[in-house]
């Protein structure tokens, strides 16, 4: 989604709930970043947030078809000091803060794969369905100072069909310490040849079945991405959030017959009730 849409969305949400309680009255989140949800209110023990998200997104990676999807949002969390264990959707993970400026995270989740039916226009016919598979993500964020105004991010994702790496730089806006406000990030993404061909390659059998040219990709640079996050407490329990994501593909990926758009985009809004 284009930058202007994400910014306009955040401005509208902020104006709508301008009269709500100050976020500064709340307890400190593990890190004050809107992109890292924390429902614990700074306390040790169990926390729960449940809600819904409405997303307008690409039908599959490289698609020129877009659709609306409604998904559950929130997580079950357990906090002990500077460590949070969580279950969110199909992901189970841990994150921990060290020395006020280092955030580590490890997550085990699932890749839903791609189905021929993901394209209503039949663009994936003959390419076959991909099975859902497990993936492991390891992440390290380093803040330039304890208020997390600016930060660097490194991430590795490994799954059955390949590996992906990400390097990002981000900035948060506002003085909130409860994980609300605005945040932007710019990322460079790399992948190995196995993952590149899983998402955008076409082998001989798929070529014969689909009529698309056989395509084999090498690993390396995948894309440059932009991410915007917004989070806001309406009152003591209700939280609004928004996100916009844009990923511009490398020239090799753009040349794949699977790639109908030179980018992937998503914008979403939702609400969560924090118990």
């Amino acid at each position: 989604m284009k930058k202007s849409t994400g910014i306009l969305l955040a401005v509208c949400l902020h104006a709508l709930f301008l009269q709500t309680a100050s976020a500064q009255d709340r307890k400190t989140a593990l890190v004050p970043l809107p992109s890292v949800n924390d429902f614990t209110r700074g306390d040790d023990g169990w926390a729960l947030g449940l809600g819904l998200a409405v997303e307008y997104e690409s039908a599959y990676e490289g698609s020129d078809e877009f659709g609306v999807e409604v998904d559950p949002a929130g997580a079950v969390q357990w906090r002990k000091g500077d460590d949070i264990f969580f279950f969110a959707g199909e992901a189970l993970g841990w994150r921990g803060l060290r020395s006020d400026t280092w955030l580590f995270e490890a997550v085990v989740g699932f890749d839903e794969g791609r189905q021929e039916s993901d394209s209503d226009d039949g663009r994936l016919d003959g390419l076959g369905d991909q099975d859902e598979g497990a993936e492991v993500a390891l992440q390290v964020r380093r803040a330039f100072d304890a208020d997390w105004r600016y930060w660097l991010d490194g991430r590795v994702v490994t799954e059955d069909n390949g590996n992906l790496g990400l390097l990002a730089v981000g900035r948060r806006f506002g003085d909130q310490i409860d994980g609300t406000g605005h945040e932007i990030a710019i990322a460079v993404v790399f992948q190995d040849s196995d993952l590149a061909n899983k998402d955008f390659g076409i082998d001989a059998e798929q070529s014969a079945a689909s009529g698309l040219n056989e395509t084999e990709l090498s690993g390396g640079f995948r894309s440059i991405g932009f991410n915007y996050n917004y989070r806001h407490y309406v009152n003591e329990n209700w939280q609004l959030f928004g996100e916009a994501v844009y990923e511009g593909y490398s020239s090799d990926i753009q040349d794949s017959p699977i790639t109908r758009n030179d980018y992937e985009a998503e914008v979403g809004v939702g609400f969560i009730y924090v118990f």
Side-chain angles (χ1 to χ4, degrees):
M1 180 57 59
K2 298 183 184 300
K3 297 180 183 178
S4 58
T5 304
I7 294 173
L8 179 60
L9 171 66
V11 171
C12 292
L13 288 175
H14 183 72
L16 182 60
F17 298 98
L18 187 61
Q19 302 302 318
T20 58
S22 170
Q24 287 289 7
D25 295 335
R26 301 179 182 279
K27 296 182 179 180
T28 306
L30 186 66
V31 290
L33 298 180
S35 59
V36 180
N37 59 44
D38 182 351
F39 306 134
T40 66
R41 307 180 191 275
D43 298 325
D44 286 354
W46 290 100
L48 174 64
L50 293 177
L52 290 174
V54 179
E55 300 172 343
Y56 181 72
E57 59 185 349
S58 304
Y60 57 90
E61 292 180 326
S63 173
D64 59 356
E65 302 169 60
F66 289 81
V68 175
E69 184 173 332
V70 179
D71 292 314
V76 178
Q77 300 176 339
W78 184 82
R79 181 167 180 171
K80 179 65 174 177
D82 288 334
D83 296 282
I84 292 179
F85 299 86
F86 59 90
F87 176 73
E90 295 183 321
L92 181 66
W94 158 86
R95 64 174 63 105
L97 180 66
R98 300 295 182 266
S99 303
D100 293 329
T101 56
W102 288 93
L103 180 67
F104 298 89
E105 182 172 281
V107 180
V108 178
F110 289 92
D111 173 25
E112 296 180 354
R114 186 185 67 207
Q115 311 299 314
E116 288 189 3
S117 59
D118 289 343
S119 172
D120 292 334
D121 296 338
R123 302 283 177 79
L124 299 176
D125 291 353
L127 297 180
D129 295 338
Q130 297 175 351
D131 295 331
E132 184 179 81
E135 65 179 25
V136 177
L138 302 176
Q139 180 179 2
V140 178
R141 289 196 188 190
R142 173 68 161 89
F144 289 94
D145 49 44
D147 69 0
W148 285 82
R149 182 68 58 202
Y150 297 92
W151 50 265
L152 298 174
D153 185 29
R155 192 179 313 170
V156 175
V157 180
T158 181
E159 58 179 75
D160 296 339
N161 296 299
N163 304 282
L164 177 147
L166 177 149
L167 297 173
V169 59
R171 186 190 193 282
R172 78 176 184 98
F173 300 87
D175 297 322
Q176 297 95 325
I177 59 174
D178 63 347
T180 62
H182 307 265
E183 181 185 358
I184 60 172
I186 298 174
V188 180
V189 185
F190 302 88
Q191 63 186 357
D192 63 16
S193 59
D194 290 337
L195 186 61
N197 285 292
K198 167 184 171 283
D199 292 336
F200 304 102
I202 302 172
D203 61 27
E205 182 178 351
Q206 291 173 320
S207 177
S210 66
L212 300 175
N213 292 332
E214 188 173 349
T215 303
E216 183 174 359
L217 287 80
S218 59
F221 171 62
R222 173 188 173 99
S223 61
I224 293 179
F226 171 83
N227 182 266
Y228 170 81
N229 279 278
Y230 174 79
R231 198 173 294 271
H232 176 74
Y233 273 104
V234 178
N235 55 35
E236 184 66 21
N237 299 101
W238 287 100
Q239 182 186 104
L240 287 177
F241 64 91
E243 182 180 23
V245 180
Y246 176 89
E247 182 181 9
Y249 294 129
S250 68
S251 58
D252 287 347
I253 294 176
Q254 292 179 21
D255 291 339
S256 168
I258 293 176
T259 308
R260 304 286 179 164
N261 258 345
D262 295 342
Y263 63 89
E264 181 181 0
E266 173 185 335
V267 62
V269 295
F271 64 88
I272 292 174
Y273 185 87
V274 182
F275 292 84

